[in-house]
Amino acid sequence: MDVRHFERIHAFIEARLRPLFDAETGSEHGFGMDDTSRALRALLGTVKAAAAVKGLAEQRATAEPTLRHIIDQALEHNWDVLRGVARNWEDHPDFVRDFKRHAWELEAPADSPAPGASATV
């Protein structure tokens, strides 16, 4: 799986979350101890952790088949975490179709869905 998919979805999610940390929203820039600030920090931390796959993806190319399978599972899991978060903004104009795709569908050309996949958004 191409790391650029992770970079794109991470940028999309961060662009939705960062404004929530601004004082204009009543936030203490995410450093408050109220439940909303804590939830925002937790969500942002989860998103950053799930998007941090560059080293893992780089190891995949030279990994033995058994390890490659485990790396693929880790990449798919992290993609699913990000995909689940991003889908909360499906109605946003910057949301792209790839954010709805499963990891294995991203390997297919964007115009042709993977076998058995729905061609609708």
Side-chain angles (χ1 to χ4, degrees):
M1 173 181 256
D2 193 332
V3 173
R4 289 177 290 186
H5 293 297
F6 285 90
E7 292 168 349
R8 284 180 52 202
I9 199 168
H10 178 237
F12 172 79
I13 295 169
E14 273 224 31
R16 311 289 78 74
L17 294 178
R18 284 291 172 191
L20 302 176
F21 287 90
D22 292 341
E24 293 81 32
T25 65
S27 172
E28 295 178 18
H29 301 289
F31 295 108
M33 293 311 290
D34 60 290
D35 285 344
T36 300
S37 294
R38 291 174 181 173
L40 286 171
R41 286 193 307 271
L43 180 57
L44 188 59
T46 299
V47 167
K48 285 183 175 190
V53 298
K54 187 174 183 179
L56 196 57
E58 288 171 352
Q59 289 178 1
R60 184 189 184 282
T62 58
E64 297 175 14
T66 304
L67 183 56
R68 185 176 299 143
H69 177 70
I70 294 167
I71 291 171
D72 286 344
Q73 288 177 334
L75 291 171
E76 289 171 12
H77 169 76
N78 286 12
W79 177 257
D80 284 345
V81 168
L82 294 170
R83 185 172 65 106
V85 173
R87 289 191 69 171
N88 284 285
W89 289 279
E90 282 187 69
D91 59 342
H92 193 278
D94 294 338
F95 186 90
V96 296
R97 179 186 180 131
D98 281 350
F99 298 163
K100 291 178 77 168
R101 294 177 181 253
H102 292 278
W104 62 86
E105 293 175 307
L106 292 171
E107 300 304 323
D111 299 57
S112 60
S118 172
T120 61
V121 175

